[in-house]
């Protein structure tokens, strides 16, 4: 399975984020930066999170610690929604 990498210097040139902000997200464990041949990358599947974090930081003035808390809470809500969906399906199968 081939992975697609997003070059962070190109992403930053688009004006969506600064490299120092992305480095901070990496320090908080919110993104995983891959370094290859002295260039920084993230995997394509992290792009949605990076854009969400950038919106929170630049548009809403949420600091990195707040981004970490919000991200953790969203992950919890998504896990609970998945569990609810699974339990509803299980109940439906028992009713049949």
């Amino acid at each position: 399975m081939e992975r697609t990498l997003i070059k962070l210097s190109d992403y930053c040139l688009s004006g969506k984020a600064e490299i120092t902000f992305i480095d901070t997200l990496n320090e908080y464990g919110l993104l995983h930066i891959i370094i290859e041949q002295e260039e920084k990358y993230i995997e394509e599947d992290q792009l949605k999170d990076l854009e969400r974090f950038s919106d929170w930081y630049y548009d809403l003035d949420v600091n990195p610690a707040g981004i970490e808390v919000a991200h953790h809470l969203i992950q919890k809500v998504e896990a609970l929604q998945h569990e609810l969906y699974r339990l509803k399906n299980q109940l439906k199968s028992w009713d049949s």
Side-chain angles (χ1 to χ4, degrees):
M1 181 174 171
E2 190 166 322
R3 63 184 183 173
T4 303
L5 298 177
I6 306 297
K7 191 174 181 181
L8 290 177
S9 59
D10 291 343
Y11 184 83
C12 292
L13 282 176
S14 71
K16 295 183 180 181
E18 298 169 355
I19 194 67
T20 54
F21 170 66
I22 297 171
D23 287 336
T24 301
L25 293 175
N26 183 59
E27 291 169 14
Y28 275 81
L30 295 167
L31 292 178
H32 176 70
I33 293 177
I34 299 163
I35 300 175
E36 290 184 2
Q37 299 175 357
E38 298 184 29
E39 283 288 344
K40 294 180 181 182
Y41 299 87
I42 60 169
E43 291 190 18
E44 184 179 34
D45 64 353
Q46 295 184 90
L47 191 56
K48 179 181 171 188
D49 285 338
L50 175 55
E51 290 176 347
R52 177 187 295 167
F53 300 152
S54 294
D55 288 345
W56 292 347
Y57 184 76
Y58 292 105
D59 297 341
L60 301 176
D61 270 343
V62 178
N63 66 22
I67 291 171
E68 181 181 31
V69 169
H71 181 65
H72 177 73
L73 290 173
I74 287 171
Q75 286 179 317
K76 287 278 193 183
V77 167
E78 288 172 349
L80 289 171
Q81 288 173 332
H82 178 71
E83 180 69 8
L84 180 61
Y85 178 76
R86 188 187 67 75
L87 291 171
K88 281 183 176 181
N89 284 337
Q90 190 174 11
L91 275 174
K92 286 180 187 178
S93 69
W94 288 347
D95 285 341
S96 300

